[in-house]
Coordinates of all heavy atoms in Angstrom, one line a residue:
A1385 N 119.9 96.8 85.7 CA 119.1 97.9 85.7 C 118.7 98.4 87.1 O 118.6 99.6 87.4 CB 117.8 97.6 84.8
S1386 N 118.4 97.4 88.0 CA 117.9 97.8 89.3 C 118.9 98.6 90.1 O 118.5 99.4 91.0 CB 117.5 96.5 90.1 OG 118.6 95.8 90.5
V1387 N 120.2 98.5 89.8 CA 121.2 99.2 90.6 C 121.1 100.7 90.3 O 121.5 101.5 91.1 CB 122.6 98.8 90.2 CG1 122.9 97.4 90.8 CG2 122.9 98.9 88.7
R1388 N 120.4 101.1 89.2 CA 120.2 102.5 88.9 C 119.0 103.1 89.6 O 118.8 104.3 89.5 CB 120.1 102.7 87.4 CG 121.3 102.3 86.6 CD 121.1 102.6 85.2 NE 122.2 102.1 84.4 CZ 122.6 102.5 83.2 NH1 121.9 103.5 82.7 NH2 123.6 102.0 82.5
L1389 N 118.2 102.3 90.1 CA 117.0 102.8 90.8 C 117.3 103.6 92.0 O 118.2 103.2 92.8 CB 116.1 101.6 91.2 CG 115.3 100.9 90.0 CD1 114.7 99.7 90.5 CD2 114.3 101.8 89.4
P1390 N 116.6 104.7 92.3 CA 116.8 105.4 93.5 C 116.5 104.5 94.8 O 115.7 103.6 94.7 CB 115.8 106.5 93.5 CG 115.1 106.5 92.2 CD 115.5 105.2 91.5
K1391 N 117.3 104.8 95.8 CA 117.0 104.1 97.1 C 115.9 104.7 97.8 O 115.8 106.0 97.8 CB 118.3 104.2 98.0 CG 119.5 103.5 97.4 CD 120.7 103.8 98.2 CE 122.0 103.2 97.6 NZ 123.2 103.6 98.2
V1392 N 115.0 103.9 98.4 CA 113.9 104.4 99.2 C 114.1 103.9 100.6 O 114.2 102.7 100.8 CB 112.6 103.9 98.6 CG1 111.4 104.4 99.5 CG2 112.4 104.4 97.2
T1393 N 114.1 104.8 101.6 CA 114.3 104.4 103.0 C 112.9 104.1 103.6 O 111.9 104.5 103.0 CB 114.9 105.6 103.8 OG1 114.0 106.7 103.7 CG2 116.2 106.0 103.2
A1394 N 112.9 103.5 104.8 CA 111.7 103.2 105.5 C 111.0 104.5 105.8 O 109.7 104.6 105.7 CB 112.0 102.4 106.8
E1395 N 111.7 105.5 106.2 CA 111.1 106.8 106.6 C 110.3 107.3 105.4 O 109.2 107.9 105.6 CB 112.3 107.8 107.0 CG 111.8 109.0 107.6 CD 113.0 110.1 107.7 OE1 114.0 109.9 107.1 OE2 112.8 111.0 108.5
E1396 N 110.8 107.2 104.2 CA 110.1 107.7 103.0 C 108.9 106.8 102.7 O 107.8 107.3 102.5 CB 111.1 107.7 101.9 CG 110.5 108.2 100.5 CD 110.0 109.6 100.5 OE1 110.6 110.4 101.3 OE2 109.1 109.9 99.8
L1397 N 109.2 105.5 102.7 CA 108.1 104.5 102.3 C 106.9 104.7 103.2 O 105.7 104.7 102.6 CB 108.7 103.1 102.5 CG 107.7 102.0 102.2 CD1 107.5 101.9 100.7 CD2 108.1 100.7 102.8
V1398 N 107.0 104.8 104.5 CA 105.8 104.8 105.4 C 104.9 106.0 105.2 O 103.8 106.0 105.6 CB 106.2 104.6 106.9 CG1 106.9 103.3 107.1 CG2 107.1 105.8 107.3
K1399 N 105.5 107.1 104.6 CA 104.7 108.3 104.3 C 103.6 108.0 103.3 O 102.5 108.6 103.2 CB 105.5 109.4 103.8 CG 106.5 110.0 104.8 CD 107.3 111.1 104.1 CE 108.5 111.5 104.9 NZ 109.5 112.2 104.1
H1400 N 103.8 107.0 102.4 CA 102.9 106.8 101.3 C 102.0 105.6 101.6 O 102.1 104.5 101.0 CB 103.8 106.5 100.0 CG 104.8 107.5 99.7 ND1 104.4 108.7 99.0 CD2 106.1 107.7 100.1 CE1 105.5 109.4 98.9 NE2 106.5 108.8 99.6
N1401 N 101.2 105.8 102.5 CA 100.3 104.7 103.0 C 98.8 105.1 102.8 O 97.9 104.5 103.5 CB 100.6 104.4 104.5 CG 100.3 105.6 105.4 OD1 100.0 106.7 104.9 ND2 100.3 105.4 106.7
K1402 N 98.5 105.9 101.9 CA 97.1 106.4 101.7 C 96.7 105.9 100.3 O 97.5 105.7 99.4 CB 97.1 107.9 101.8 CG 97.3 108.4 103.2 CD 97.5 109.9 103.3 CE 99.0 110.2 102.9 NZ 100.0 109.7 103.9
Q1403 N 95.4 105.9 100.1 CA 94.8 105.4 98.9 C 95.2 106.3 97.7 O 95.3 105.8 96.6 CB 93.3 105.3 99.0 CG 92.7 104.2 98.0 CD 91.3 104.0 98.3 OE1 90.8 103.7 99.5 NE2 90.4 104.0 97.3
N1404 N 95.3 107.6 97.9 CA 95.7 108.5 96.9 C 97.2 108.7 96.8 O 97.7 109.6 96.1 CB 94.9 109.8 97.0 CG 95.4 110.6 98.3 OD1 96.2 110.1 99.1 ND2 94.8 111.8 98.4
D1405 N 98.0 108.0 97.5 CA 99.4 108.0 97.6 C 99.9 106.8 98.2 O 100.2 106.8 99.4 CB 99.9 109.3 98.3 CG 101.4 109.4 98.4 OD1 102.1 108.7 97.6 OD2 101.9 110.1 99.3
C1406 N 100.0 105.7 97.4 CA 100.3 104.4 98.0 C 101.5 103.7 97.4 O 101.5 103.3 96.2 CB 99.0 103.6 97.8 SG 99.1 102.0 98.5
W1407 N 102.5 103.5 98.2 CA 103.7 102.8 97.8 C 103.8 101.5 98.6 O 103.2 101.4 99.7 CB 105.0 103.6 98.1 CG 105.2 104.8 97.3 CD1 104.2 105.5 96.5 CD2 106.4 105.6 97.3 NE1 104.8 106.6 96.0 CE2 106.1 106.7 96.4 CE3 107.6 105.5 97.8 CZ2 107.1 107.7 96.1 CZ3 108.6 106.4 97.6 CH2 108.3 107.5 96.7
M1408 N 104.4 100.5 98.0 CA 104.7 99.2 98.7 C 105.9 98.5 98.2 O 106.3 98.7 97.1 CB 103.5 98.3 98.8 CG 102.8 97.9 97.5 SD 101.3 96.9 97.8 CE 100.2 98.1 98.6
V1409 N 106.5 97.7 99.1 CA 107.7 97.0 98.7 C 107.2 95.6 98.3 O 106.4 95.0 98.9 CB 108.7 96.8 99.9 CG1 109.9 96.0 99.5 CG2 109.1 98.2 100.4
L1410 N 107.8 95.1 97.2 CA 107.6 93.8 96.7 C 109.0 93.2 96.3 O 109.6 93.7 95.4 CB 106.7 93.7 95.5 CG 105.2 93.5 95.7 CD1 104.5 93.5 94.3 CD2 104.9 92.2 96.5
F1411 N 109.4 92.2 97.0 CA 110.7 91.6 96.7 C 111.9 92.6 96.6 O 112.7 92.6 95.7 CB 110.6 90.7 95.5 CG 109.5 89.7 95.6 CD1 108.3 89.9 95.1 CD2 109.8 88.4 96.1 CE1 107.3 89.0 95.2 CE2 108.8 87.5 96.2 CZ 107.5 87.8 95.7
G1412 N 111.9 93.6 97.5 CA 113.0 94.5 97.6 C 112.8 95.8 96.7 O 113.5 96.7 96.9
Q1413 N 111.8 95.7 95.8 CA 111.5 96.8 94.9 C 110.4 97.7 95.5 O 109.4 97.1 96.0 CB 111.2 96.3 93.5 CG 112.1 95.2 93.0 CD 112.8 95.7 91.8 OE1 113.8 96.5 91.9 NE2 112.5 95.1 90.7
V1414 N 110.4 99.0 95.3 CA 109.4 99.9 95.7 C 108.5 100.3 94.6 O 109.0 100.8 93.6 CB 110.0 101.1 96.4 CG1 108.8 102.0 97.0 CG2 110.9 100.7 97.6
Y1415 N 107.2 100.1 94.7 CA 106.2 100.5 93.7 C 105.2 101.5 94.2 O 104.8 101.4 95.3 CB 105.4 99.2 93.3 CG 106.3 98.1 92.6 CD1 106.8 97.1 93.4 CD2 106.6 98.2 91.3 CE1 107.6 96.1 92.8 CE2 107.3 97.2 90.7 CZ 107.9 96.2 91.4 OH 108.6 95.2 90.8
D1416 N 105.0 102.5 93.3 CA 103.8 103.4 93.6 C 102.6 102.8 92.9 O 102.5 102.9 91.7 CB 104.2 104.7 93.0 CG 103.1 105.8 93.1 OD1 101.9 105.3 93.5 OD2 103.3 107.0 92.9
I1417 N 101.8 102.1 93.7 CA 100.7 101.4 93.1 C 99.3 102.2 93.1 O 98.3 101.6 92.9 CB 100.5 100.0 93.7 CG1 100.3 100.1 95.3 CG2 101.7 99.1 93.4 CD1 98.9 99.8 95.7
T1418 N 99.5 103.5 93.4 CA 98.3 104.3 93.4 C 97.3 104.1 92.2 O 96.1 104.0 92.4 CB 98.7 105.8 93.5 OG1 99.7 106.0 94.5 CG2 97.5 106.7 93.9
Q1419 N 97.9 104.1 91.0 CA 97.1 104.0 89.8 C 96.6 102.6 89.6 O 95.6 102.4 89.0 CB 97.9 104.5 88.6 CG 98.4 105.9 88.7 CD 97.3 106.9 88.9 OE1 96.3 106.8 88.3 NE2 97.6 107.9 89.8
Y1420 N 97.4 101.6 90.1 CA 97.0 100.2 90.0 C 95.9 99.8 90.9 O 95.0 98.9 90.6 CB 98.2 99.3 90.2 CG 97.8 97.8 90.2 CD1 97.5 97.2 89.0 CD2 97.8 97.1 91.4 CE1 97.1 95.8 89.0 CE2 97.4 95.8 91.4 CZ 97.0 95.1 90.2 OH 96.6 93.8 90.2
L1421 N 95.8 100.4 92.1 CA 94.8 100.0 93.1 C 93.5 99.6 92.7 O 93.0 98.5 93.0 CB 94.7 101.1 94.1 CG 95.5 101.1 95.4 CD1 95.3 102.4 96.2 CD2 95.2 99.9 96.3
E1422 N 92.8 100.4 91.9 CA 91.4 100.1 91.5 C 91.3 99.0 90.5 O 90.2 98.5 90.2 CB 90.8 101.4 90.9 CG 91.4 101.9 89.7 CD 90.7 103.2 89.1 OE1 89.5 103.1 88.8 OE2 91.4 104.3 89.1
Y1423 N 92.4 98.5 89.9 CA 92.4 97.4 89.0 C 92.8 96.1 89.7 O 92.8 95.0 89.0 CB 93.4 97.7 87.9 CG 93.1 98.9 87.1 CD1 93.8 100.1 87.2 CD2 92.0 98.9 86.1 CE1 93.5 101.2 86.5 CE2 91.7 100.0 85.4 CZ 92.4 101.2 85.6 OH 92.1 102.3 84.9
H1424 N 93.1 96.1 91.0 CA 93.5 94.9 91.7 C 92.2 93.9 91.8 O 91.2 94.3 92.4 CB 94.0 95.3 93.1 CG 94.4 94.0 93.9 ND1 93.9 93.7 95.1 CD2 95.2 93.0 93.5 CE1 94.4 92.6 95.5 NE2 95.3 92.2 94.6
P1425 N 92.4 92.7 91.2 CA 91.2 91.8 91.2 C 90.8 91.4 92.7 O 89.7 91.0 92.9 CB 91.8 90.6 90.5 CG 92.9 91.1 89.6 CD 93.5 92.2 90.5
G1426 N 91.7 91.5 93.6 CA 91.4 91.2 95.0 C 90.8 92.4 95.7 O 90.4 92.3 96.9
G1427 N 90.6 93.5 95.1 CA 90.0 94.7 95.7 C 90.9 95.7 96.3 O 92.1 95.3 96.6
V1428 N 90.5 96.9 96.5 CA 91.2 98.0 97.0 C 91.5 97.8 98.5 O 92.7 97.8 98.9 CB 90.5 99.3 96.8 CG1 91.3 100.5 97.5 CG2 90.4 99.7 95.3
P1429 N 90.5 97.5 99.3 CA 90.8 97.3 100.8 C 91.9 96.2 101.1 O 92.7 96.4 102.0 CB 89.5 96.9 101.4 CG 88.5 97.4 100.4 CD 89.1 97.3 99.1
E1430 N 91.8 95.1 100.3 CA 92.7 94.0 100.5 C 94.1 94.5 100.2 O 95.1 94.3 101.0 CB 92.3 92.9 99.5 CG 92.9 91.6 99.8 CD 92.4 90.9 101.1 OE1 91.4 91.5 101.7 OE2 93.0 89.9 101.5
L1431 N 94.3 95.2 99.1 CA 95.6 95.7 98.7 C 96.1 96.8 99.7 O 97.3 96.9 100.0 CB 95.6 96.2 97.3 CG 96.9 96.5 96.5 CD1 97.9 95.4 96.7 CD2 96.6 96.7 95.0
M1432 N 95.2 97.6 100.2 CA 95.6 98.6 101.1 C 96.1 98.1 102.4 O 96.8 98.9 103.2 CB 94.4 99.6 101.4 CG 94.1 100.6 100.3 SD 95.4 101.7 100.0 CE 95.5 102.6 101.5
R1433 N 96.0 96.9 102.7 CA 96.5 96.2 103.9 C 98.1 96.4 103.9 O 98.7 96.3 104.9 CB 96.2 94.8 104.0 CG 94.7 94.5 104.4 CD 94.3 93.1 104.3 NE 95.1 92.2 105.2 CZ 95.2 90.9 105.1 NH1 94.7 90.3 104.1 NH2 95.9 90.2 106.0
A1434 N 98.6 96.5 102.7 CA 100.1 96.5 102.6 C 100.6 97.9 102.2 O 101.7 98.1 101.9 CB 100.5 95.5 101.5
A1435 N 99.7 98.9 102.3 CA 100.1 100.3 102.0 C 101.2 100.8 102.9 O 101.2 100.7 104.1 CB 98.9 101.2 102.1
G1436 N 102.3 101.3 102.2 CA 103.4 101.9 103.0 C 104.2 100.9 103.7 O 105.0 101.3 104.6
T1437 N 104.1 99.6 103.3 CA 105.0 98.6 104.0 C 105.4 97.5 103.0 O 105.3 97.8 101.8 CB 104.2 98.1 105.2 OG1 105.1 97.2 106.0 CG2 103.0 97.3 104.8
D1438 N 105.9 96.4 103.5 CA 106.3 95.3 102.7 C 105.2 94.4 102.4 O 104.7 93.8 103.3 CB 107.5 94.6 103.4 CG 108.2 93.6 102.5 OD1 107.8 93.5 101.3 OD2 109.0 92.8 102.9
A1439 N 104.8 94.3 101.1 CA 103.7 93.5 100.7 C 104.1 92.1 100.3 O 103.2 91.2 100.0 CB 103.0 94.1 99.5
T1440 N 105.4 91.8 100.4 CA 105.8 90.5 99.8 C 105.2 89.3 100.5 O 104.8 88.3 99.8 CB 107.4 90.4 100.0 OG1 108.0 91.6 99.5 CG2 107.9 89.2 99.2
G1441 N 105.1 89.3 101.8 CA 104.5 88.2 102.5 C 103.0 87.9 102.1 O 102.7 86.8 101.8
L1442 N 102.2 89.0 102.2 CA 100.8 88.9 101.8 C 100.7 88.5 100.3 O 99.9 87.6 100.0 CB 100.1 90.2 102.0 CG 99.8 90.5 103.5 CD1 99.4 92.0 103.6 CD2 98.7 89.6 104.0
F1443 N 101.5 89.1 99.5 CA 101.5 88.7 98.0 C 101.7 87.3 97.8 O 100.9 86.6 97.1 CB 102.5 89.6 97.3 CG 102.6 89.3 95.8 CD1 101.9 90.1 94.9 CD2 103.4 88.3 95.3 CE1 101.9 89.9 93.6 CE2 103.4 88.0 94.0 CZ 102.7 88.8 93.1
N1444 N 102.7 86.7 98.5 CA 103.0 85.3 98.3 C 101.9 84.4 98.9 O 101.7 83.3 98.4 CB 104.4 85.0 99.0 CG 105.5 85.4 98.1 OD1 105.4 85.4 96.9 ND2 106.7 85.6 98.8
Q1445 N 101.4 84.9 100.0 CA 100.3 84.1 100.6 C 99.1 83.9 99.7 O 98.5 82.9 99.7 CB 99.9 84.9 101.9 CG 99.0 84.2 102.9 CD 98.7 85.1 104.1 OE1 99.7 85.8 104.6 NE2 97.5 85.2 104.5
Y1446 N 98.7 85.0 98.9 CA 97.6 85.0 98.1 C 97.8 84.5 96.7 O 97.0 83.8 96.1 CB 96.9 86.3 98.1 CG 96.2 86.7 99.4 CD1 96.8 87.5 100.3 CD2 95.0 86.1 99.7 CE1 96.2 87.8 101.5 CE2 94.4 86.3 100.9 CZ 95.0 87.2 101.8 OH 94.4 87.5 103.0
H1447 N 98.9 84.9 96.1 CA 99.1 84.6 94.7 C 100.6 84.8 94.3 O 100.9 85.7 93.6 CB 98.3 85.4 93.8 CG 98.2 86.9 94.2 ND1 99.3 87.6 94.5 CD2 97.1 87.7 94.3 CE1 98.9 88.9 94.8 NE2 97.6 88.9 94.8
S1448 N 101.5 83.8 94.8 CA 102.9 83.9 94.5 C 103.2 83.8 93.0 O 104.2 84.2 92.5 CB 103.6 82.9 95.2 OG 103.2 81.6 94.9
W1449 N 102.2 83.3 92.2 CA 102.4 83.0 90.8 C 102.1 84.2 89.9 O 102.4 84.3 88.7 CB 101.4 81.9 90.3 CG 100.0 82.3 90.5 CD1 99.2 82.9 89.6 CD2 99.2 82.0 91.6 NE1 97.9 83.1 90.1 CE2 97.8 82.5 91.4 CE3 99.4 81.3 92.8 CZ2 96.8 82.5 92.3 CZ3 98.3 81.3 93.7 CH2 97.1 81.8 93.5
V1450 N 101.5 85.3 90.5 CA 101.1 86.5 89.7 C 102.4 87.2 89.3 O 103.4 87.4 90.1 CB 100.2 87.5 90.6 CG1 100.1 88.9 89.9 CG2 98.9 86.9 90.7
N1451 N 102.5 87.6 88.0 CA 103.6 88.3 87.4 C 103.6 89.8 87.7 O 103.4 90.6 86.8 CB 103.7 88.0 85.9 CG 105.1 88.4 85.3 OD1 105.9 89.1 86.0 ND2 105.3 87.9 84.2
Y1452 N 103.9 90.1 88.9 CA 103.9 91.6 89.4 C 104.9 92.4 88.6 O 104.7 93.5 88.3 CB 104.2 91.7 90.9 CG 105.6 91.2 91.2 CD1 106.6 92.2 91.3 CD2 105.9 89.9 91.4 CE1 107.9 91.8 91.6 CE2 107.2 89.5 91.7 CZ 108.2 90.5 91.8 OH 109.5 90.1 92.0
N1453 N 106.0 91.7 88.3 CA 107.1 92.4 87.6 C 106.7 93.1 86.3 O 107.0 94.2 86.1 CB 108.2 91.3 87.3 CG 109.6 91.9 87.4 OD1 109.8 93.0 88.0 ND2 110.5 91.3 86.8
S1454 N 105.9 92.3 85.5 CA 105.5 92.9 84.2 C 104.3 93.8 84.5 O 104.1 94.9 83.8 CB 105.2 91.9 83.2 OG 104.0 91.2 83.5
M1455 N 103.4 93.4 85.4 CA 102.2 94.2 85.7 C 102.5 95.6 86.2 O 101.8 96.6 85.9 CB 101.3 93.5 86.6 CG 100.7 92.2 86.1 SD 99.7 91.4 87.4 CE 98.4 92.7 87.6
L1456 N 103.5 95.7 87.0 CA 103.8 96.9 87.7 C 105.0 97.7 87.2 O 105.6 98.5 87.9 CB 104.0 96.7 89.2 CG 102.9 96.0 90.0 CD1 103.2 95.7 91.4 CD2 101.6 96.8 89.9
K1457 N 105.4 97.3 86.0 CA 106.6 97.9 85.4 C 106.6 99.5 85.5 O 107.6 100.1 85.8 CB 106.8 97.5 84.0 CG 108.2 97.6 83.4 CD 108.4 96.6 82.3 CE 108.9 95.3 82.8 NZ 109.2 94.3 81.7
A1458 N 105.5 100.0 85.1 CA 105.3 101.5 85.1 C 105.2 102.1 86.5 O 105.3 103.3 86.6 CB 104.1 101.9 84.3
C1459 N 105.1 101.2 87.5 CA 104.9 101.7 88.8 C 106.2 101.7 89.7 O 106.2 102.2 90.9 CB 103.8 100.9 89.6 SG 102.3 100.8 88.7
L1460 N 107.2 101.2 89.1 CA 108.5 101.1 89.9 C 109.1 102.4 90.2 O 109.3 103.2 89.3 CB 109.4 100.2 89.0 CG 110.8 99.8 89.7 CD1 110.5 98.9 90.9 CD2 111.5 98.9 88.7
V1461 N 109.4 102.7 91.4 CA 110.0 104.0 91.8 C 111.4 103.8 92.4 O 112.1 104.8 92.4 CB 109.1 104.8 92.8 CG1 107.8 105.2 92.1 CG2 108.8 104.1 94.1
G1462 N 111.7 102.7 92.9 CA 113.0 102.6 93.5 C 113.3 101.2 94.1 O 112.5 100.3 93.9
R1463 N 114.4 101.1 94.9 CA 114.6 99.9 95.6 C 114.7 100.2 97.1 O 115.2 101.2 97.5 CB 115.8 99.1 95.1 CG 117.1 99.8 95.2 CD 118.2 99.1 94.4 NE 119.4 99.9 94.3 CZ 120.4 99.8 95.2 NH1 120.4 99.0 96.1 NH2 121.4 100.7 95.0
F1464 N 114.1 99.3 97.9 CA 114.1 99.5 99.3 C 115.5 99.4 99.9 O 116.2 98.4 99.7 CB 113.1 98.6 100.0 CG 112.9 98.9 101.5 CD1 112.3 100.1 101.9 CD2 113.4 98.0 102.4 CE1 112.2 100.3 103.2 CE2 113.3 98.3 103.8 CZ 112.7 99.5 104.2
E1465 N 115.9 100.4 100.7 CA 117.1 100.3 101.4 C 116.9 100.3 102.9 O 116.4 101.2 103.5 CB 117.9 101.6 101.1 CG 119.3 101.7 101.6 CD 120.3 100.9 100.7 OE1 119.9 100.3 99.8 OE2 121.5 101.1 101.0
G1466 N 117.1 99.1 103.5 CA 116.8 99.0 104.9 C 116.3 97.6 105.3 O 116.4 96.7 104.5
D1467 N 115.8 97.6 106.5 CA 115.4 96.3 107.1 C 113.8 96.2 107.0 O 113.1 96.9 107.8 CB 115.9 96.3 108.6 CG 115.6 94.9 109.2 OD1 114.9 94.1 108.6 OD2 116.0 94.7 110.4
T1468 N 113.4 95.3 106.2 CA 111.9 95.2 106.0 C 111.2 94.7 107.3 O 110.0 94.9 107.5 CB 111.5 94.3 104.8 OG1 112.2 93.0 105.0 CG2 111.9 94.9 103.5
T1469 N 112.0 93.9 108.1 CA 111.3 93.4 109.3 C 111.0 94.5 110.3 O 110.3 94.3 111.3 CB 112.3 92.4 110.0 OG1 113.5 93.0 110.5 CG2 112.7 91.3 109.1
K1470 N 111.6 95.7 110.1 CA 111.3 96.9 111.0 C 110.1 97.7 110.5 O 109.8 98.7 111.1 CB 112.5 97.7 111.2 CG 113.6 97.0 112.1 CD 114.8 97.8 112.2 CE 115.8 97.1 113.1 NZ 117.2 97.5 112.9
L1471 N 109.5 97.4 109.4 CA 108.4 98.2 108.8 C 107.1 97.8 109.6 O 107.0 96.8 110.2 CB 108.3 97.8 107.3 CG 109.3 98.4 106.4 CD1 109.2 97.8 105.0 CD2 109.3 99.9 106.4
P1472 N 106.2 98.8 109.5 CA 104.9 98.6 110.2 C 104.1 97.4 109.7 O 104.3 96.9 108.6 CB 104.1 99.9 110.0 CG 104.9 100.7 109.0 CD 106.2 100.1 108.8
Ligands
HEM2215 C1 94.0 88.6 93.3 C2 97.6 91.2 91.5 C3 99.0 92.4 96.0 C4 95.2 89.9 97.8 C5 94.9 89.1 92.5 C6 95.0 88.8 91.0 C7 96.0 89.6 90.5 C8 96.6 90.3 91.6 C9 96.5 89.6 89.1 C10 94.1 87.8 90.3 C11 94.8 86.5 90.4 C12 94.0 85.4 89.8 O1 92.8 85.4 89.7 O2 94.7 84.4 89.4 C13 98.3 91.8 92.6 C14 99.4 92.6 92.5 C15 99.8 93.0 93.7 C16 98.9 92.3 94.6 C17 100.1 93.1 91.2 C18 101.0 93.8 94.2 C19 100.9 95.1 94.3 C20 98.1 91.8 96.9 C21 98.2 91.9 98.3 C22 97.1 91.2 98.8 C23 96.4 90.7 97.7 C24 99.3 92.7 99.1 C25 96.7 91.0 100.2 C26 96.8 91.9 101.2 C27 94.6 89.3 96.7 C28 93.4 88.5 96.9 C29 93.1 88.1 95.6 C30 94.0 88.7 94.7 C31 92.7 88.1 98.2 C32 92.0 87.1 95.2 C33 90.7 87.8 94.7 C34 89.7 86.8 94.3 O3 90.0 85.9 93.4 O4 88.6 86.9 94.8 N1 95.9 90.0 92.8 N2 98.0 91.6 93.9 N3 97.0 91.0 96.5 N4 94.9 89.5 95.4 FE1 96.4 90.5 94.6

């Protein structure tokens, strides 16, 4: 299924770094978490640290056991195409 997802470049991803337009990469997948933000048990500011960038490291640091895959199913917008180490 993931092969059918649109590709999202770094240039596109970094534009969505605002609370009312917030995308992030998790394990290579790109999520629009704008609607999820206010439901994050760790709070909005905490989650906003990963806005417009790769959240995988922080996610694993705080709660690698959380089932983001099922929680964010409706938020999936694409798969990241590029080098996550070059993201902000
Ligand atoms: C807590 C989901 C990303 C920081 C939680 C919890 C969930 C969750 C379900 C509650 C866990 C529990 O109590 O067992 C998510 C999802 C994320 C995400 C779906 C992906 C979009 C992040 C990121 C950070 C973060 C990127 C850090 C920058 C935290 C912290 C808590 C927390 C600090 C602990 C809150 C507390 O118990 O006081 N998150 N999270 N999360 N999250 Fe996230």
Side-chain angles (χ1 to χ4, degrees):
S1386 74
V1387 290
R1388 299 186 186 203
L1389 288 171
K1391 294 171 185 173
V1392 177
T1393 61
E1395 187 187 19
E1396 178 66 27
L1397 178 75
V1398 297
K1399 291 177 191 165
H1400 306 276
N1401 63 350
K1402 291 165 281 294
Q1403 206 170 309
N1404 65 358
D1405 177 17
C1406 184
W1407 292 13
M1408 57 186 61
V1409 178
L1410 267 179
F1411 303 92
Q1413 315 244 71
V1414 180
Y1415 295 94
D1416 178 348
I1417 56 106
T1418 312
Q1419 304 303 317
Y1420 173 73
L1421 263 173
E1422 63 181 296
Y1423 300 103
H1424 181 233
V1428 175
E1430 197 70 7
L1431 194 43
M1432 281 302 292
R1433 290 171 62 197
T1437 188
D1438 188 4
T1440 311
L1442 285 166
F1443 180 91
N1444 279 336
Q1445 191 178 315
Y1446 288 101
H1447 42 48
S1448 57
W1449 62 88
V1450 167
N1451 193 347
Y1452 67 95
N1453 212 21
S1454 72
M1455 293 179 64
L1456 302 178
K1457 200 156 273 178
C1459 304
L1460 188 58
V1461 294
R1463 62 191 168 95
F1464 184 70
E1465 186 83 351
D1467 186 354
T1468 53
T1469 66
K1470 289 178 180 157
L1471 289 171

